Amino acid sequence: MTVRKFRARLAAIGDDELCCGAFWQADDFLRQRPALTHEEIVAAIEYAEDHHDANEGFNWWHLEQAIDGVMPEEVEE
């Protein structure tokens, strides 16, 4: 989701409503893997959203799993 879509989603909720959550950005994925391209980050974010488990949450482990889920496996010679 883009920041624009996130803001639109929040705009539909009253300012005094209670909430909690995590907010992860592309830079967080780059902290895990600095060489990621923009396209790889987009794919990893989509993977993270599609494979989210509320029992696990969005955390560093989940981001790493999302990156692993979209990156091709390196072939060892």
Side-chain angles (χ1 to χ4, degrees), residues 5-77:
K5 289 181 182 177
F6 193 68
R7 284 184 183 136
R9 185 174 177 184
L10 288 175
I13 302 169
D15 289 341
D16 295 323
E17 293 295 323
L18 298 173
C19 67
C20 69
F23 184 74
W24 296 88
Q25 295 178 276
D27 285 349
D28 297 310
F29 287 81
L30 289 171
R31 284 190 186 103
Q32 295 291 73
R33 303 265 180 94
L36 288 173
T37 66
H38 176 77
E39 292 77 17
E40 290 166 340
I41 293 168
V42 169
I45 288 173
E46 289 174 356
Y47 187 98
E49 288 179 339
D50 292 345
H51 293 84
H52 177 251
D53 181 329
N55 289 313
E56 295 171 358
F58 281 98
N59 53 43
W60 291 115
W61 178 85
H62 186 70
L63 270 60
E64 186 66 35
Q65 296 302 305
I67 294 166
D68 288 345
V70 299
M71 296 298 293
E73 291 187 30
E74 293 182 18
V75 178
E76 293 184 27
E77 293 181 30

